[in-house]
Amino acid sequence: GRRPEMLAQVDVAFREQCWNFEILTIVGFTWGEGLSQLAAVARGDYLLCACDDTVPHPGWFDAARELVDEGFTPASRYLHPDGSPLRPGVDDAPHRSIVAWCRSFLLTPAIFAEVGPFIDTTWYADIDYSERLRASGREIVACDGYTFTHLGGEREWLTPEENARSEALYHESHRRQGIA
């Protein structure tokens, strides 16, 4: 389908905007497991754990870094290609307002070490990580400028079996954390 074209568009956007960055990707794993493997070997002061079907807008890093440095988790804003919010009420929430979750995570290696790896799912991995970040004391706040255009990648991987597996792992993570 459109996947190679989308990945090329994402790659070009990051390479044009990122200076002194290392861009790592992994194929053949769930989103959560792939992020965990990459974060474990990445070098640098910050780690961006982002979806591969989202194009960053200029200024995303500085906007998010400011909040990370203040002890918050910036919530990425996702927009449709036409510029409208992907999830109204979340992707257009007022700047610095508390939101329940985010989808692309700007972390430091210390935050990743404290909160731990992502769960081995694609579906629910972002919700689970958001909950664990909040449990660690890092409020998730809407962030003007930490914006991505969502290209709407194909989801042929989301079979009923994979959804059930992902949901079971999400609930197991809750049990381990003592979350009802």
Side-chain angles (χ1 to χ4, degrees), residues 29-129:
F29 295 92
T30 64
W31 186 70
E33 179 60 26
L35 292 178
S36 294
Q37 288 188 28
L38 293 172
V41 299
R43 300 178 309 262
D45 297 327
Y46 297 91
L47 309 171
L48 173 66
C49 300
C51 301
D52 65 357
D53 61 353
T54 59
V55 176
H57 289 209
W60 66 270
F61 178 72
D62 288 333
R65 179 182 57 190
E66 177 182 330
L67 290 172
V68 170
D69 290 349
E70 291 178 28
F72 295 102
T73 297
S76 52
R77 297 184 187 275
Y78 278 20
L79 305 177
H80 288 289
D82 69 4
S84 63
L86 186 66
R87 299 267 188 269
V90 174
D91 294 316
D92 56 0
H95 183 60
R96 291 184 177 252
S97 62
I98 296 173
V99 296
W101 61 290
C102 62
R103 293 160 284 208
S104 291
F105 300 91
L106 186 66
L107 309 169
T108 64
I111 294 169
F112 180 75
E114 178 186 339
V115 176
F118 290 80
I119 59 173
D120 183 13
T121 67
T122 297
W123 227 235
Y124 302 102
D126 52 358
I127 296 169
D128 180 75
Y129 213 74

Side-chain angles (χ1 to χ4, degrees), residues 1-53:
R2 297 181 18 216
R3 194 112 181 111
E5 169 200 326
M6 287 177 11
L7 291 174
Q9 188 177 352
V10 171
D11 184 66
V12 165
F14 273 106
R15 291 187 191 284
E16 286 177 350
Q17 295 178 45
C18 296
W19 59 104
N20 198 22
F21 276 63
E22 180 180 23
I23 299 171
L24 304 173
T25 190
I26 196 162
V27 176
F29 295 92
T30 64
W31 186 70
E33 179 60 26
L35 292 178
S36 294
Q37 288 188 28
L38 293 172
V41 299
R43 300 178 309 262
D45 297 327
Y46 297 91
L47 309 171
L48 173 66
C49 300
C51 301
D52 65 357
D53 61 353

